[in-house]
């Protein structure tokens, strides 16, 4: 993410590398898809002929219509059949195997088009290039039919007698409209039969029928004009506007102001849902359609029952509640979530009943509500009280310029929160309901339109209480002062004005931020920056008009290259992007941090909105907790609930990310000096920033601590402690594997060795939990499975009634053999079984029994050896002597006594004795001989299970379960040794065991690349520890601690985020070739451009984490959701 040279001052905006590509791309857009990258002129000429074909045919059709007087649509239909038949035949022709279909050409790609070379004109290759056909048969048939339908309607609506009458017999104007309209048709229809143009307006990059976008508007406009000419020719103004749009459609295609066909239906439905039904925008198209249907049902019931007030009031309360939320599981988990719905229904029925009783025509009303002055005054007073409470809790006041001098204490804050909730959720809706019911009470019949507007009023007072109050106040101010007699229509217009004003203010704020940065920031300037600044000053009224138009209609701003060059882009739904697919987001290791914090963060959001008021739909919140940055978007909201989507940003410390994250950190620390290190003045030096700090809360998440261990890990004392503690931890883990029933050995299946004799060893999986635990031992190896090729195994016997009973580490009684009895049994079994062995084990664990002479002897020779004398001799691990590991039992005993001085090894049970054999054997494998020096880099390698190769290592690696136990014990020993170096040694064995138990029960000690690392984070293990070696040679550790961490919350400018996303889509989907770098600068401190770009949906953005839709109840601090 480097800054591009084409943006800094003294350089051009677009470098030479992209100019030829942009020229080719613009010609494709303007001419409907004609490619000039062809070498042969004949190929370019053939494309031009296909482009001019509908224009030429339309001129001929108009001439025939002028001279031959027949009924409507006859001649136009006859000429329209020509392209249908012609292109159907072309599309149904068989294609070669090397043919590239239209579907593949429409795929989203950032690769620059190569020059197309066609060896022979009018060949199959030429035909395939000129008329690429879709692999879908339905599309092959529909495209020519749509082509013909557009041609028929265009020919009919552009007939001379129709246009001249509409244009008041101006022949020159007719010629202009005729030519430009057919030019628009040629630009639109070319993509149906030939190459699809590159579109400025792209909603879904992989939309399968992009060639239908332009013909859709031509078909719509031509059908509208034709229907108006036939049914309502006196609507000359509407017909003139339609002709103007049709003749200028080619220009609208070029600038991308018309929404694509996959976006237009979502936009229109949501626009009607929000403005007419006062509903909340939805997170997907299905929810939008559901909202339209349910609102329509309420209108139908109210119209046909003629119980206008009661039906619309009840329907408004139902539709504004979370009963229409997609996450119905909320009710099953938290029945208290139904409290807002019950309260709103009760208040609606009660207040409407009171108003109906008071306003009955007979008898005379007992109360006078003629002008409702008292009720309106109370409503205004309660609204102002709520406004004052919210203002005193803000960090900055007076347009975010001055710091709030008032400090709200915790006790007072709770009282203010309760007061705010009571006012927002009970008092204001009740007073509004009373006032509106008294104003719009009527005994006369209402039209369906009036019923829809009345339902809108009742729904909005619950759905968006604050805006409903504002439009009511504006309604009272305008009522009687303007020439609108319909009160419902006036209230509807007041609501549109309020919503438009809020969006307009955010757009103006965003424009001021861009303009100031353009002047102040050097890297944001271009070579012609003075000219651009002058144009902005001169064209200020035009720019404000663009802002007002976009705020009113829902069109989005397009700041070209994030410069103060504002264009109008096509309108989008409030969610902005198509509905994201969670399967497209890969789960990485860093994703686990966001998965862990999500439920706690949602609880925090519930409390936040309870204190600071309900959120506005479409608004963005930025949260920072440690190095986590979460951008939350409110997708839907209603009475007592809201739905949102969380996006977690990358954790890598790239240059652009770090620069903007540092600005965010400084802003929050400046806003909340009690939680930060910076001192703050009385003014807000970030008043033009798009981020507005609001509050700071606490969530349970991981605090990340990184420590440098150079000087600790590489000290001789620490290395010595690691080796000593490893043996202790190995024995502890082996005991745990046995007692807990873990299968540290392989399955207890008897196998036959190559010599044909059955060998026996250990199988701790056969342990049965009862009053007495017994151990049966079987060997599961064959000679091919072991490296001891010439070794047969010895039987260790089974338990008897004379076994020793003792307490293990879990507190259970376990019965194992005494060591002295073990040796006697071994001697007896050695005489009975000639197949004695120097290595005893089973399925993954080796126990060493030495043989004499330094070499492994055959079974016949070993049968005559005395067991006690054999224990005093050394042994080797193979017959060639290159894996020599001399161990003596006396040496074992000495080492065991040094490790555990308060125990006597002769009195210990046999399994502990054998476990110690295993521990020392693995220690020698990992650390070589006792006199070998241990290096710190070797410790790190062993910690990461990346052992240095040795001839003895293959045996350990062939035993997966034992290798896992060794790795776990080694990591535990490293952590214990580091703690002892820092905090001091354990005073006794009990303290040592307590430390071990603490680490094994509350800690996960591993590496960040382990799959268990992410799993334990999501399971909220209290502590996690890892060890690493940096590239500079220093040793460091990372410790994660689950604790209460401050999370800073702030609002982002909604229109700024949408404008930056729009600029991103324009740059990457239209202007970019094989160079994926954006034209705009990446790091923009005031706009947080890099962070906002990351939060865009795939494939343009790259958020690290995307949550499913989260539904939360924010009503009197109910129990939090998950």
């Amino acid at each position: 993410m480097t800054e591009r040279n084409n943006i800094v001052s003294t350089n051009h905006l677009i470098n030479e590398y992209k100019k030829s590509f942009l020229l080719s791309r613009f010609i494709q857009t303007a001419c409907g898809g004609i490619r000039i990258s062809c070498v042969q002129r004949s190929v370019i000429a053939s494309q031009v002929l296909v482009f001019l074909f509908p224009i030429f045919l339309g001129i001929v059709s108009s001439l025939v219509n002028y001279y031959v007087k027949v009924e409507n649509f006859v001649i136009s239909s006859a000429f329209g059949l020509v392209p249908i038949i012609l292109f159907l035949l072309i599309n149904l022709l068989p294609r070669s195997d090397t043919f590239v279909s239209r579907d593949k050409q429409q795929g989203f790609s950032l690769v620059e088009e190569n020059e197309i070379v066609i060896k022979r004109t009018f060949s199959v290759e030429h035909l395939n290039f000129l008329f690429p056909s879709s692999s879908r048969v339905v599309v092959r048939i529909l495209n020519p039919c749509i082509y013909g339908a557009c041609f028929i309607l265009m020919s009919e609506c552009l007939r001379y007698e129709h246009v001249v009458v509409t244009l008041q017999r101006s022949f020159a104007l007719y010629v202009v409209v005729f030519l430009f309209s057919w030019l628009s048709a040629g630009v639109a229809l070319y993509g149906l039969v030939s190459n699809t143009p590159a579109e400025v307006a792209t909603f879904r990059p992989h939309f399968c029928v992009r060639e239908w976008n332009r013909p859709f508007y031509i078909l719509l406009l031509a059908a509208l004009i034709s229907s108006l000419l036939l049914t309502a020719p006196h609507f000359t103004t509407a017909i003139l506007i339609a002709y103007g749009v049709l003749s200028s459609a080619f220009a609208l295609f070029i600038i991308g102001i018309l929404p694509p066909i996959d976006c237009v239906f979502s936009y229109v439905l949501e626009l009607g849902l929000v403005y007419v039904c006062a509903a909340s925008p939805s997170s997907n198209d299905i929810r939008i359609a559901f909202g339209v249907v349910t609102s329509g049902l309420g209108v139908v019931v109210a119209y046909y029952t003629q119980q206008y007030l009661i039906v619309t009031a009840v329907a408004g309360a139902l539709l504004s509640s979370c009963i229409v939320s997609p996450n119905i599981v909320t009710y099953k988990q938290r029945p208290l979530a139904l409290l807002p719905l019950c309260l709103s229904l009760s208040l609606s029925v009660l207040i409407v009943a009171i108003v109906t009783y008071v306003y009955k025509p007979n008898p005379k009303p007992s109360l006078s509500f003629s002008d409702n002055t008292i009720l309106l005054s109370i409503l205004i007073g309660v609204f102002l009280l709520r406004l004052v409470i919210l203002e005193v809790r803000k960090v900055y006041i007076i347009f975010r310029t001055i710091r709030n001098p008032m400090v709200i204490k915790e006790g007072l804050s709770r009282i203010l929160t309760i007061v705010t909730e009571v006012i927002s959720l009970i008092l204001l809706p009740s007073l509004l309901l009373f006032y509106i019911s008294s104003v719009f009470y009527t005994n006369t019949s209402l039209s369906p339109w009036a019923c829809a507007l009345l339902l809108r009023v009742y729904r909005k007072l619950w759905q968006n209480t604050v805006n409903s109050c504002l439009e009511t106040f504006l309604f009272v101010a305008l009522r009687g002062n303007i020439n609108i007699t319909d009160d419902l229509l006036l209230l509807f217009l007041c609501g549109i004005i309020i919503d438009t004003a809020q969006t307009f203010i955010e757009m103006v704020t965003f424009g001021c931020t861009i303009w100031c940065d353009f002047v102040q920031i050097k890297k944001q300037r271009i070579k012609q920056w003075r000219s651009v600044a002058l144009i902005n000053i001169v064209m200020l009224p035009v720019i404000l008009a663009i802002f007002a138009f976009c705020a009113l209609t829902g069109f989005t701003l397009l700041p070209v290259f994030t410069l103060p060059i504002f264009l109008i882009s096509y309108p989008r739904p409030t969610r902005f992007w198509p509905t994201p697919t969670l399967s497209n987001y890969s789960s990485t290791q860093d994703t686990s941090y966001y998965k862990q914090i999500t439920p706690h963060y949602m609880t925090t959001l519930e409390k936040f909105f309870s204190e600071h008021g309900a959120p506005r739909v479409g608004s963005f919140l930025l949260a920072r907790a440690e190095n986590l940055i979460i951008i939350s978007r409110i997708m839907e909201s209603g009475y007592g609930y809201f739905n949102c989507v969380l996006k977690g940003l990358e954790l890598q410390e790239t240059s652009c990310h770090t620069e903007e994250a540092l600005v965010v950190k400084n802003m929050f620390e400046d806003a909340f000096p009690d939680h930060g290190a910076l001192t703050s003045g009385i003014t807000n030096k970030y008043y033009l920033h798009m981020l507005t700090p609001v509050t700071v809360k606490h969530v349970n998440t991981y605090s990340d601590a990184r420590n440098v261990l150079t000087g600790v890990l590489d000290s001789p004392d620490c290395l010595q402690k690691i080796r000593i503690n490893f043996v202790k931890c190995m024995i502890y883990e082996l005991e745990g594997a046995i007692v807990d029933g873990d299968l540290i050995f392989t399955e207890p299946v008897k196998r036959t060795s190559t010599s044909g004799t059955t060998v026996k060893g250990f199988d701790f999986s056969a342990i049965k939990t009862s009053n007495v635990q017994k151990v049966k031992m079987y060997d599961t190896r064959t000679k091919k499975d072991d490296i001891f090729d010439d070794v047969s195994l010895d039987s260790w016997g089974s338990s008897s009634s004379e076994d020793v009973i003792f307490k293990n580490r879990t507190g259970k009684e376990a019965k194992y053999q005494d060591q002295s009895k073990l040796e006697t049994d071994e001697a007896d079994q050695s005489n009975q079984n000639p197949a004695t062995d120097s290595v005893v084990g089973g399925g993954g664990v080796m126990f060493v029994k030495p043989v004499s002479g330094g070499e492994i002897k055959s079974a016949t020779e070993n049968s005559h050896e005395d067991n006690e004398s054999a224990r005093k001799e050394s042994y080797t691990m193979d017959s060639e002597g290159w894996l020599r590991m001399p161990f003596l039992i006396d040496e074992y005993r000495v080492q065991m006594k040094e490790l555990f001085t308060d125990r006597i090894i002769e009195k210990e049970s046999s399994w502990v004795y054998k476990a110690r054999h295993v521990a020392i054997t693995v220690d020698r494998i990992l650390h070589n001989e006792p006199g070998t020096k241990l290096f710190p880099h070797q410790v790190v390698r062993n910690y990461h299970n990346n052992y240095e190769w040795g001839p003895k290592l293959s045996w350990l690696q062939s035993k997966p379960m034992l290798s896992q136990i060794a790795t776990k014990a080694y990591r535990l020993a490293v952590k214990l040794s580091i703690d002892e170096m820092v905090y001091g040694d354990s005073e006794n064995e009990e303290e040592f065991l307590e430390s071990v138990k603490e680490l094994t029960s509350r800690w996960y000690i591993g590496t960040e690349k382990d799959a268990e690392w992410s799993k334990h984070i999501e399971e909220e293990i209290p502590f996690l520890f890892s060890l690493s070696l940096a590239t500079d040679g220093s040793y460091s550790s990372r410790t994660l601690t689950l604790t209460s961490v401050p999370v800073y919350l702030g609002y982002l400018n909604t229109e700024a985020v949408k404008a930056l996303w729009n600029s991103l889509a324009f740059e990457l989907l239209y202007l970019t070739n094989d160079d994926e770098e954006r034209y705009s600068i990446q790091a923009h401190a005031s706009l947080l451009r890099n962070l906002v770009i990351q939060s865009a949906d795939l494939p343009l953005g790259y958020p690290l984490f995307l949550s499913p839709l989260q539904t939360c109840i924010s009503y009197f601090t109910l129990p939090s959701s998950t």
Side-chain angles (χ1 to χ4, degrees):
M1 299 182 182
T2 58
E3 299 171 2
R4 296 192 54 80
N5 294 330
N6 56 353
I7 296 297
V8 296
S9 62
T10 72
N11 282 346
H12 293 282
L13 186 63
I14 301 175
N15 55 25
E16 296 293 334
Y17 177 66
K18 292 182 179 289
K19 284 185 178 180
S20 59
F21 168 79
L22 293 180
L23 177 61
S24 174
R25 179 59 60 92
F26 177 78
I27 293 177
Q28 283 188 40
T29 304
C31 299
I34 294 179
R35 299 186 180 182
I36 64 171
S37 56
C38 307
V39 176
Q40 296 89 340
R41 295 181 180 179
S42 58
V43 178
I44 299 177
S46 63
Q47 295 181 85
V48 175
L49 289 177
V50 174
F51 174 78
L52 295 176
F53 174 73
I55 302 176
F56 172 77
L57 199 62
I59 293 175
V60 175
S61 173
S62 297
L63 291 176
V64 174
N65 268 320
Y66 179 75
Y67 288 106
V68 180
K69 304 297 183 181
V70 294
E71 295 181 0
N72 295 330
F73 292 100
V74 175
I75 296 178
S76 301
S77 300
F79 276 90
L81 289 176
V82 175
I84 294 177
I85 298 173
L86 176 62
F87 294 122
L88 269 177
L89 293 176
I90 294 175
N91 284 346
L92 296 178
L93 287 175
R95 303 301 175 106
S96 62
D97 296 336
T98 59
F99 167 66
V100 179
S101 67
R102 175 192 297 271
D103 306 323
K104 295 182 180 180
Q105 293 180 4
Q106 289 184 359
F108 172 63
S109 177
L110 296 176
V111 180
E112 184 180 12
E113 297 176 357
N114 297 322
E115 291 186 347
I116 301 171
V117 179
I118 297 177
K119 299 179 181 179
R120 185 179 176 184
T121 308
F122 303 111
S123 61
V124 177
E125 185 183 12
H126 186 187
L127 180 66
N128 290 338
F129 167 74
L130 194 60
F131 301 106
S133 181
S134 174
S135 59
R136 302 176 179 88
V137 179
V138 176
V139 177
R140 293 186 190 181
I141 298 174
L142 285 179
N143 283 357
C145 295
I146 296 173
Y147 193 108
C150 289
F151 182 86
I152 293 172
L153 291 175
M154 285 289 296
S155 299
E156 190 62 28
C157 71
L158 291 177
R159 292 178 64 172
Y160 177 78
E161 58 270 20
H162 291 162
V163 181
V164 168
V165 172
T166 305
L167 300 178
Q168 300 178 356
R169 302 185 182 278
S170 174
F171 181 77
L173 191 57
Y174 166 74
V175 173
V176 173
V177 171
F178 181 86
L179 292 179
F180 280 101
S181 297
W182 276 114
L183 177 62
S184 300
V187 170
L189 298 179
Y190 181 84
L192 283 173
V193 296
S194 189
N195 298 291
T196 305
E199 296 285 4
V200 176
T202 302
F203 189 59
R204 289 180 174 88
H206 299 282
F207 188 56
C208 57
V209 284
R210 284 169 48 200
E211 66 270 19
W212 292 358
N213 289 337
R214 298 185 178 191
F216 168 77
Y217 290 102
I218 298 298
L219 192 65
L220 181 65
L221 290 171
L224 177 63
I225 294 173
S226 299
S227 61
L228 289 176
L229 290 173
L230 293 177
T231 59
H234 54 282
F235 289 166
T236 56
T237 304
I239 297 174
L240 280 174
I241 294 175
Y243 272 126
V245 176
L246 180 62
S247 58
S248 60
F250 71 95
L252 299 179
F253 295 147
I254 295 174
I255 63 178
I257 198 174
L258 297 177
I261 190 174
D262 56 327
C263 176
V264 63
F265 294 105
S266 300
Y267 164 71
V268 172
L269 283 177
E270 186 179 271
L271 195 67
L273 186 68
V274 173
Y275 278 162
V276 179
C277 303
S280 169
S282 299
S283 56
N284 54 62
D285 296 335
I286 297 177
R287 296 276 300 119
I288 294 176
F290 178 75
V292 173
V293 171
T294 52
S295 300
L297 287 176
V299 173
V300 170
V301 173
Y303 178 72
Y304 283 103
T305 59
Q306 295 187 354
Q307 301 295 327
Y308 305 114
L309 284 185
I310 187 64
V311 172
T312 54
V314 171
L318 284 172
L319 295 175
S320 63
S321 65
C322 52
I323 193 174
V324 295
S325 175
N327 294 349
I328 304 299
V329 69
T330 303
Y331 299 112
K332 299 178 181 179
Q333 294 177 349
R334 300 193 307 169
L336 288 177
L338 291 172
L339 178 60
L341 174 60
C342 296
L343 183 59
S344 61
L345 286 176
S346 302
L347 290 175
S348 299
V349 173
L350 178 62
I351 293 176
V352 171
I354 294 175
V355 172
T356 303
Y357 172 78
V358 171
Y359 276 87
K360 282 183 180 179
N362 291 310
K364 187 178 180 180
S366 57
L367 296 176
S368 175
F369 291 96
S370 56
D371 59 13
N372 303 297
T373 305
I374 299 177
L375 185 60
L376 183 62
S377 301
I378 296 174
L379 179 62
I380 295 175
V382 173
F383 180 81
L384 292 178
L385 176 62
R386 176 188 177 275
L387 182 63
V388 171
I389 293 176
L390 294 180
E391 284 295 321
V392 298
R393 305 187 72 169
K394 289 183 177 180
V395 182
Y396 299 106
I397 57 177
I398 310 179
F399 303 104
R400 302 190 307 162
T401 57
I402 300 176
R403 171 178 293 278
N404 187 357
M406 298 184 62
V407 178
I408 308 298
K409 297 183 179 179
E410 184 67 24
L412 180 59
S413 177
R414 293 179 182 178
I415 296 176
L416 294 179
T417 299
I418 296 175
V419 173
T420 303
E421 289 181 330
V422 171
I423 292 176
S424 301
L425 300 175
I426 297 180
L427 286 182
L428 279 181
S430 301
L431 292 173
L432 270 175
L433 184 63
F434 211 118
Y435 179 79
I436 290 172
S437 299
S438 63
V439 169
F440 295 104
Y441 178 82
T442 179
N443 289 322
T444 60
S445 298
L446 296 178
S447 63
W449 169 251
C451 290
L453 293 182
L454 189 60
L455 175 61
R456 172 194 172 276
V457 173
Y458 280 115
R459 181 173 185 173
K460 192 168 186 177
L461 66 89
W462 299 106
Q463 186 94 24
N464 193 344
T465 308
V466 175
N467 278 21
S468 182
C469 289
L470 292 176
E471 69 180 52
T472 301
F473 300 153
L474 183 61
F475 164 77
V476 173
L478 296 179
R479 189 182 185 187
N481 297 325
I482 59 175
N483 191 20
I484 297 179
T485 57
D486 190 346
D487 289 342
L488 285 173
L489 179 60
L490 178 59
L491 192 60
F492 170 71
L493 295 177
C494 291
I496 294 178
I497 292 174
I498 294 299
D499 294 338
T500 303
Q502 292 175 343
T503 305
F504 179 76
I505 292 174
E506 288 193 342
M507 286 187 177
V508 171
T509 305
F510 167 65
C512 294
T513 302
I514 281 190
W515 199 90
C516 292
D517 289 345
F518 178 70
V519 175
Q520 296 176 0
I521 302 177
K522 185 177 181 180
K523 65 179 180 180
Q524 185 70 2
R525 300 174 193 166
I526 58 176
K527 187 175 182 179
Q528 302 84 6
W529 71 275
R530 293 181 179 84
S531 301
V532 174
L534 181 61
I535 292 174
N536 273 268
I537 296 174
V538 175
M539 302 291 291
L540 182 61
V542 177
I543 295 175
L544 294 178
I546 291 176
F547 290 172
F549 174 79
C550 292
L552 177 63
T553 59
F555 283 70
T556 54
L557 279 179
L558 175 57
V560 180
F561 308 141
T562 325
L563 298 173
I565 304 174
F566 299 102
L567 301 179
I568 300 177
S569 182
Y570 69 95
R572 296 172 179 258
T574 303
R575 67 177 185 269
F576 198 88
W577 304 108
T579 304
T581 304
L582 294 178
S583 60
N584 295 337
Y585 290 82
S586 59
S587 180
T588 63
Q589 199 165 41
D590 292 337
T591 307
S592 57
Y593 297 100
Y594 289 105
K595 290 181 179 180
Q596 181 273 327
I597 199 177
T598 295
H600 305 287
Y601 178 69
M602 293 308 301
T603 303
T604 301
L605 282 186
E606 292 180 358
K607 298 178 181 178
F608 168 73
F609 290 126
S610 298
E611 296 175 359
H612 297 271
R616 184 184 177 191
V617 179
S619 58
F620 294 86
L621 281 92
L622 185 143
R624 178 181 175 272
E626 292 283 324
N627 59 339
L628 302 180
I629 296 181
I630 304 174
I631 291 184
S632 314
R633 182 158 200 205
I634 308 300
M635 306 299 293
E636 303 176 31
S637 71
Y639 181 64
Y641 83 98
F642 65 91
N643 295 335
C644 68
V645 172
L646 311 182
K647 292 181 179 180
L649 306 188
E650 63 182 0
L651 302 181
Q652 292 82 3
E653 296 181 355
T654 57
S655 58
C656 299
H657 181 91
T658 303
E659 181 179 345
E660 295 184 357
L662 182 61
V663 173
V664 173
K665 177 183 177 182
N666 292 338
M667 285 188 65
F668 282 126
E669 289 180 349
D670 188 74
F672 307 102
D674 293 339
H675 296 83
L678 300 180
T679 58
S680 178
I682 61 172
T683 60
N684 179 18
K685 58 183 178 182
Y686 301 100
Y687 66 94
L688 282 178
H689 203 281
M690 70 174 295
L691 175 63
T692 304
V694 180
T695 187
V696 57
K697 297 292 183 181
H698 286 80
V699 296
N700 286 330
T701 187
Y702 283 97
S703 176
D704 194 350
R706 301 174 185 266
N707 301 313
V708 177
L709 297 180
T710 303
V712 177
L713 187 65
D714 51 358
S715 64
D717 294 340
C718 184
L719 298 176
Q720 183 180 2
K721 289 178 182 294
I722 290 174
R723 190 155 188 177
I724 295 175
N725 288 333
F726 170 68
V727 178
K728 297 180 182 180
C729 296
M730 188 70 185
I731 297 172
Y732 182 87
E733 293 297 334
L734 285 172
E735 178 190 352
I738 295 172
V739 173
D740 297 338
D742 296 338
L743 302 182
I744 63 171
F745 306 99
T746 56
E747 62 275 11
V749 179
K750 295 184 178 181
R751 298 179 182 175
T752 304
S753 64
T754 55
S755 62
T757 60
T758 302
V759 292
K760 297 181 179 181
F762 290 111
D763 176 28
F764 285 96
S765 63
I767 298 176
K768 297 180 180 180
T769 304
S770 60
N771 294 333
V772 177
Q773 293 183 347
K774 297 184 179 181
V775 181
K776 294 185 179 180
M777 308 167 196
Y778 302 96
D779 184 66
T780 60
R781 301 172 302 171
T782 64
K783 281 183 173 285
K784 294 181 180 180
D785 295 331
D786 201 358
I787 62 173
F788 307 103
D789 296 335
D790 300 327
V791 178
S792 59
L793 300 181
D794 187 16
S795 175
W796 284 89
S798 60
S799 59
S800 65
S801 59
E802 298 179 0
D803 292 341
V804 178
I805 299 177
F806 67 100
K807 293 282 186 178
N808 58 31
R809 68 174 181 175
T810 62
K812 299 179 181 179
E813 289 188 351
K815 186 174 182 180
Y816 298 98
Q817 290 180 317
D818 183 75
Q819 180 63 26
S820 60
K821 180 174 176 55
L822 175 67
E823 295 176 357
T824 305
D825 293 340
E826 288 173 357
D828 296 337
Q829 292 174 10
S830 298
N831 296 328
Q832 296 175 7
N833 185 7
T836 56
D837 193 2
S838 62
V839 180
V840 180
V845 175
M846 174 200 62
F847 296 102
V848 180
K849 291 180 60 180
V851 297
S852 61
E855 296 180 356
I856 298 179
K857 297 184 178 182
S858 64
T860 305
E861 294 171 336
N862 284 335
S863 63
H864 301 290
E865 293 288 343
D866 181 75
N867 192 47
E868 287 298 326
S869 62
R871 289 181 179 273
K872 298 180 181 179
E873 301 293 338
S874 62
Y875 81 102
T876 59
M877 293 183 66
D878 68 346
S879 58
E880 297 179 0
W882 63 283
L883 296 178
R884 192 171 299 275
M885 290 180 61
F887 287 140
L888 294 175
I889 294 300
D890 292 339
E891 181 183 353
Y892 277 158
R893 296 175 183 273
V894 172
Q895 291 184 359
M896 293 307 109
K897 290 180 180 180
E898 291 178 353
L899 295 176
F900 297 89
T901 57
D902 57 342
R903 292 185 179 179
I904 302 176
I905 196 158
E906 287 79 1
K907 293 184 179 181
E908 292 182 352
S909 58
S910 62
W911 72 268
V912 176
Y913 181 76
K914 300 166 190 175
R916 292 184 173 182
H917 279 263
V918 176
I920 296 216
T921 301
V922 176
D923 174 71
R924 298 297 173 84
I925 292 176
L926 300 183
H927 298 142
N928 299 321
E929 301 301 327
T932 306
K933 184 179 180 181
L934 181 62
F935 295 96
H937 71 274
Q938 184 182 358
V939 173
V940 177
R941 289 173 61 92
N942 293 346
Y943 184 92
H944 286 263
N945 200 16
N946 184 21
Y947 307 117
E948 294 184 358
W949 184 89
K952 299 162 287 188
L953 181 62
S954 58
W955 174 84
L956 179 62
Q957 293 178 340
S958 65
K959 317 298 178 185
M961 298 305 295
L962 180 61
S963 179
Q964 293 179 11
I965 293 175
T967 301
K968 184 178 180 181
Y970 198 91
R971 293 173 176 177
L972 184 60
V974 171
K975 181 65 173 71
L976 282 170
S977 302
I978 294 175
D979 290 347
E980 289 179 356
M981 292 295 296
V982 176
Y983 303 110
D985 296 339
S986 301
E987 296 181 357
N988 47 49
E989 185 179 349
E990 285 72 16
E991 185 177 343
F992 176 83
L993 290 176
E994 288 297 328
S995 301
V996 173
K997 291 178 181 179
E998 169 73 15
L999 293 177
T1000 53
S1001 61
R1002 294 174 54 84
W1003 285 72
Y1004 172 72
I1005 304 173
T1007 64
E1008 300 173 29
K1009 297 181 180 180
D1010 294 340
E1012 290 81 3
W1013 183 273
S1014 301
K1015 177 183 177 181
H1016 286 85
I1017 289 177
E1018 296 178 21
E1019 294 175 354
E1020 297 190 346
I1021 298 298
F1023 304 97
L1024 293 93
F1025 176 84
S1026 67
L1027 183 69
S1028 61
L1029 175 63
T1031 55
D1032 59 355
S1034 61
Y1035 305 98
S1036 62
S1037 67
R1038 183 183 185 187
T1039 304
L1040 298 182
T1041 305
L1042 185 63
T1043 183
S1044 180
V1045 175
V1047 54
Y1048 299 91
L1049 292 169
Y1051 276 110
L1052 293 174
N1053 188 312
T1054 303
E1055 297 305 318
V1057 175
K1058 292 166 63 175
L1060 290 176
W1061 282 353
N1062 208 4
S1063 177
L1064 170 72
F1066 176 66
E1067 294 179 21
L1068 285 189
L1069 296 182
Y1070 184 75
L1071 296 181
T1072 304
N1073 49 6
D1074 60 339
D1075 182 7
E1076 296 187 21
E1077 185 62 76
R1078 286 83 164 158
Y1079 293 77
S1080 307
I1081 63 172
Q1082 286 296 287
H1084 199 140
S1086 298
L1087 294 177
L1088 303 179
R1089 188 181 189 278
N1090 183 265
L1091 300 181
V1092 171
I1093 292 306
Q1094 289 184 48
S1095 64
D1097 284 358
L1098 295 176
L1100 304 183
Y1102 44 99
L1104 187 66
F1105 167 76
L1106 174 66
S1107 72
L1109 192 66
Q1110 305 285 323
T1111 299
C1112 289
I1113 307 300
S1114 177
Y1115 195 89
F1116 291 117
T1117 59
L1118 292 177
S1120 60
S1121 64
T1122 58

